[in-house]
Amino acid sequence: MPALSTVVCSEVVTSASAGPEASDNGYRSYGESAGQCVTRIRGLLDSGLTTEMIRAILPFLAGPDEIHAGPDEIHLAPDSLTPRTAALLRGEIDRIQAGIDCLARNRDRLRAYLAAVQPDPGA
C-alpha cells in the first residue's frame, strides 16, 4: 500500500488536473505541481504534523498561491475551518505544547545538574 502522503498528494494533483500521463512503458509522468505537492507534504511532515492533520488541511493548501508559498507555511481560508478541522488543529497544538513542555523540563534539569556538578562554568 502506498504511503499516505502519496495517496493524499495523488488525490490533490489528480483533482487539480487531468492526472498523470502514462507512458508506453507504464510509468506515470506527473507535472510540476505534483513535485510541489510532495515538497509541501514533506515540509508538513518534517514540521511534526500528523498524516491525519495533513490529509485534513492539504486540500486547502493546494491552491495556486499557497502551493508556491513554501512547505513551511499554512494558509487556511476561514471558510475551510470545519469543526472537525478546528478540533484537529487544537489537538495538534496541545500535542506540540506537550512536547515543548517536556523539552523545557529536560533542559532545566540538565542545567540544574551542570550547575550542581560544575558550579564554575570556566573550570
Side-chain angles (χ1 to χ4, degrees):
M1 174 169 219
L4 178 62
S5 59
T6 303
V7 172
V8 171
C9 188
S10 177
E11 290 171 3
V12 172
V13 170
T14 301
S15 67
S17 66
E21 295 179 19
S23 63
D24 293 338
N25 62 5
Y27 288 105
R28 290 178 282 184
S29 177
Y30 292 89
E32 184 180 336
S33 65
Q36 293 167 342
C37 183
V38 169
T39 300
R40 166 59 55 95
I41 291 170
R42 182 76 263 154
L44 293 169
L45 287 169
D46 289 347
S47 71
L49 293 181
T50 65
T51 54
E52 179 184 16
M53 175 65 65
I54 293 169
R55 181 182 284 281
I57 67 172
L58 189 64
F60 306 110
L61 302 178
D65 295 332
E66 291 83 10
I67 208 159
H68 297 291
D72 57 346
E73 298 178 23
I74 298 175
H75 301 284
L76 288 176
D79 60 342
S80 68
L81 188 62
T82 65
R84 180 181 176 275
T85 303
L88 281 172
L89 290 170
R90 284 187 199 96
E92 189 65 18
I93 291 167
D94 291 345
R95 186 186 71 78
I96 291 169
Q97 187 61 54
I100 291 169
D101 294 345
C102 179
L103 288 170
R105 280 191 307 274
N106 290 341
R107 178 204 58 215
D108 293 345
R109 289 176 184 149
L110 290 172
R111 282 184 179 158
Y113 171 75
L114 281 175
V117 298
Q118 190 180 36
D120 182 5

